[in-house]
Amino acid sequence: MLERSRVPTSERSLPQQFTGPTCRAFVHTWCGWRDAARTVIPARSGIAPESLGRLMADCLVMDFDGDAGDPVIRLAGSNVVERWGFEPTGMRFRDCLPGEHADWRVHVIREAVQHPCGMRLVREVVRRHGLAYRAEICFLPVADDRRGVCQFFAVSDSDERPFSVDTRANPAAREGALDITFIDIGAGVPSRRTAAVG
């Protein structure tokens, strides 16, 4: 476990990396876990589920088993299930991703959890009939020493003002990541930026 003294991103500045209230609330909660653990990455064994409170409904937890293993969804909150339209618990994360960029998205998330660092993803999601919205997603790592895996906890905020996209004129607009930022939580960030947002 990394020592607490190596944390350059303060609890005051870390939430400022996000704009949505759910993401910011989750960052504050995660920082509390980290403070209690006195490490860069909090341990799952030290986290009381009730500390998530209302955030539990918006939380997605992914297990990473080894360097090459596919992330598996261990827990999906009720709001996640409602937004996605199905229950993803127990599924590989890549099997839940629409579009043709599943490998790239899994690679980016795996790179962040292996480093380790946090991640902010802003993406555009297009539903049927061209109705679209933007989502900001906060990913932060948690160590599960008892199970020998690393986990990513994620929550998201959605833009409440949906807009229309003509997917007939632009089929590539089905879904895309608009911005990905690795966030230093005390161990730096990956040395190279992962290639093109897709």
Side-chain angles (χ1 to χ4, degrees):
M1 200 62 70
L2 298 169
E3 292 300 320
R4 176 75 177 156
S5 61
R6 295 195 54 204
V7 181
T9 306
S10 73
E11 284 75 1
R12 185 172 298 153
S13 63
L14 189 57
Q16 303 307 315
Q17 305 289 323
F18 299 90
T19 59
T22 303
C23 290
R24 285 188 172 190
F26 175 63
V27 171
H28 282 293
T29 299
W30 185 87
C31 286
W33 298 342
R34 184 170 74 171
D35 284 348
R38 301 187 62 77
T39 58
V40 171
I41 304 173
R44 178 69 183 87
S45 58
I47 296 171
E50 59 270 16
S51 66
L52 279 167
R54 64 173 184 80
L55 293 171
M56 182 64 86
D58 289 297
C59 193
L60 182 75
V61 179
M62 289 180 284
D63 281 352
F64 290 77
D65 190 5
D67 289 348
D70 260 5
V72 174
I73 297 174
R74 181 163 173 77
L75 178 144
S78 57
N79 290 346
V80 176
V81 173
E82 183 177 336
R83 236 179 353 256
W84 288 16
F86 61 94
E87 170 57 75
T89 301
M91 295 177 65
R92 293 187 320 162
F93 183 61
R94 79 171 57 247
D95 295 336
C96 301
L97 298 173
E100 49 193 62
H101 301 290
D103 287 342
W104 175 81
R105 291 176 193 162
V106 167
H107 172 75
V108 170
I109 293 172
R110 187 183 296 130
E111 191 172 10
V113 82
Q114 287 171 350
H115 187 78
C117 64
M119 191 170 75
R120 176 182 184 261
L121 169 67
V122 177
R123 70 178 208 179
E124 188 173 278
V125 181
V126 181
R127 298 295 188 204
R128 286 183 214 168
H129 312 301
L131 187 65
Y133 67 90
R134 285 187 176 90
E136 176 187 48
I137 308 166
C138 169
F139 296 87
L140 288 168
V142 171
D144 191 338
D145 296 329
R146 290 175 300 181
R147 298 180 57 244
V149 298
C150 201
Q151 296 181 319
F152 239 161
F153 279 50
V155 299
S156 65
D157 282 287
S158 297
D159 191 330
E160 297 299 328
R161 297 160 297 172
F163 55 95
S164 293
V165 173
D166 185 353
T167 55
R168 291 169 299 173
N170 181 12
R174 288 271 169 212
E175 178 170 344
L178 305 178
D179 183 54
I180 292 177
T181 306
F182 292 128
I183 297 171
D184 185 358
I185 59 168
V189 294
S191 59
R192 60 175 177 76
R193 177 62 181 248
T194 304
V197 173

